[in-house]
Amino acid sequence: MYTEEERKEIAARYRELLRDWKNRKDKDEAKLVRIAFDLAVEAHKDMRRRSREPYVYHPLEVAAICAKDMRLDATSIACALLHDVVEDTEYTLEDIERMFNPQVAMIIGGLTKMKGIFDDGTRSIQAEYFKRMILALAEDMRVILIKLADRMHNMRTLHHLSREKQLKIASETLVLYAPLAYRMGLYNIKTELEDLSLKFTEPEVYEHIRIQLEQSAKDRDRFINRFIYPVKNILAKHEIPYMIHVRTKSIFSIWQKMQRQNIPFEDVYDIFAVRIIIDTPAETEKLDCWKVYSLITDVYKPKHDRVRDWISIPKANGYEALHLTVMSHSGRWVEIQIRSRRMHEIAESGFASHHYYKNMPDEGKAIEDWLVRIREQFQNPDNDALSFIDDFKLDLYSEEIYTFTPKGDMRKLPVGATALDFAYNIHTEIGHQSIGAKVNLTLVPLKHILKSGDQVEIITSKVQRPQSEWLDYVVTARAKNYIKEALKAEKKKYYKQGKDLLKEYFKEIGIDYNKQNVRQFQEYTGINSIIDLYYEIAMKKIGLKDLKNCCQKSDKGPWFNALLPFSRSKGNNNANTLDSAIAERIRNKPEEVLLGEKIDIEYKVAKCCNPIPGDDVIGIITPRKPIMVHRVNCKIGQDLMSSFGNRIVKAKWNKKDPILFLAGIQFTGIDKIGFIYQLTDVISNKYALKIRSFNLTSSNEVTEGKIMLYVHDAKNLNELIGEIKKIKEIKKISRMNPV
Ligand code: MN
């Protein structure tokens, strides 16, 4: 029940939602939203959020994001208000069907489909969830847009949750939701999701960059004012109506750049971009944007290889603009983005709003095409969730190249795509039968990586069949899926042969041929699917010897039931064959792992990020091995958290342990006699640390080095790095993981 004050607050928030909802068309629309609002208030009346606030604030905020940030339609706003009703209250989908139009019922159905997968501890719940969400796209794109708004509000209120939940949700957001928002052309949402993720996974980094940005704001403003002054003049002189915005790079993107190039904040040169938005009719917008380009380059010289024409060929997410980088009079590179007002609106709130209101045939066509592709690609519902996500991620992240058929048709492909990807892009059968390609009239193998502008002709042969190595040559999910399917069909031909052979082997040893025993054997071999197992047996790659070995591994009878449990973490096609081992480990997972010399709970530190005391860490339950400890900012750790949230365990360093840990640093310096001496002096004398190995390579006066050494903890290591930085010959230094 609500208090009087809460009722007032709910009413106030509702009024605000209506104010934000600018594109309301008629009374019927307003009525629909009102009914949804009333139902949400009623249905959630006894529920509270973690913050103790009334639950209904949440759907109200989600609806506000749909209205304001995405500018969606009335149906979407109503659905956002109702999005948790069926899942969390006594109201059912039938109730919704009775009270609302079929569209609303369908979207709510799509939003609620994810229910019922949470009772199974073994599969990746998140992967399964995400897969169902993407498949719900096939029904209505608004399902995904509302899910993104839902995630956005959950990220904004994440501080109310426990640390493990924060890490799980933040990783998931970074790995899946932010790229998805980008793919849907929702730049502002993508940026906020990334920044919030960083804020929760690496609060110090986030704070550091935020403060740096704040402190440098004044200088930046001064520079920008001076820079745009002549631009404004020339635009005014030619009577072009314009607005200028300055877009500052997001904290997350700055951090990515600092890491990728191993540079401090001050060295990130493109902290901001200047955006020129011109008011011009759609018919002449392209011409007018180029006119502005021409005027600007009269003032500033452009960098010739940094012109990006996203107007002639929009990005796959619908983005359109003309980008260039110019040299300022003070010798600094500045990025300028030129767009029409229409392009700007699409970039701000995604193409969805335009899609629903203006019915412009070409707008958002790229995303529609993408959705069609997603639908056909992922039609196969028993594609297992984790490999689905892997393939889907490929599709989300990719930047694109433009290639051409011999007739001049353009084909967009992700960076890294090969001739074989191209073949599958043209047609499945062409893919299956391809034997080679001509790229710009030169003969190349199928694994040849294409570049933008390549003209590609595929050479086929009727006798060709898809090969399993092909999976290594392709980067598009489309090609991967078709190859997998073809290989599977091929393998199925051997199904019976393999099965009969295995029956014979079982008979020879004297064990029952039953489902469970076959499953145990399959797990022993580590083969993902039964089709693959029978195929390997038919091919005589697995035989009686393996079965015997498998039996010997077991030490108690009835021998087969005690065989090794669970041998893989992915690729399970069948819910029935799930092993109880991981579920058991998750059920019994410890409250916390204490890391240090004395071990209560068995754990291992992950090689990928090599945590040492003082690092912020988490543990992840693995099927068989001890608990794996990752740094919270480790890419692999985040990937695991984003797929297996239920396996996260709190981990903490035991402060009292005075032991040493192996760590690595890498550096680049100017080759001058003496600086290596200074370096080792800092490590061995000033810090009294023991060096395990020291590698140096020099070329052209530049020395690169890698040092492995024993340190006390992360603080110790960071201080050391800070001290080494002071040596003036050292140009770059950073922590490195042992190899
Ligand atoms: Mn929700």
Side-chain angles (χ1 to χ4, degrees), residues 55 58 83-84 150 154:
Y55 191 87
H58 167 64
H83 82 272
D84 280 331
D150 185 27
N154 287 335

Side-chain angles (χ1 to χ4, degrees), residues 720-735:
L720 174 73
I721 287 176
E723 194 63 32
I724 294 174
K725 256 186 203 159
K726 290 183 192 159
I727 302 173
K728 70 172 189 303
E729 285 85 2
I730 300 268
K731 293 302 163 204
K732 274 182 185 175
I733 175 160
S734 64
R735 182 165 164 183

Side-chain angles (χ1 to χ4, degrees), residues 44 49 55 58-59 62 80 83-85 87-88 129 146-147 149-151 153-154:
H44 293 298
R49 297 205 95 203
Y55 191 87
H58 167 64
V62 175
H83 82 272
D84 280 331
V85 165
E87 193 143 350
D88 296 338
Y129 187 92
I146 295 167
K147 267 284 154 201
D150 185 27
R151 175 53 57 124
H153 185 243
N154 287 335

Side-chain angles (χ1 to χ4, degrees), residues 21-31 33 72-75 77 353 355-359:
W21 180 24
K22 296 256 156 50
N23 39 29
R24 179 173 11 158
K25 273 191 291 210
D26 50 36
K27 277 206 178 115
D28 285 348
E29 287 199 346
K31 205 172 141 201
V33 169
L72 298 181
D73 63 343
T75 304
I77 295 170
S353 53
H355 185 70
Y356 287 114
Y357 298 112
K358 309 218 167 130
N359 284 327

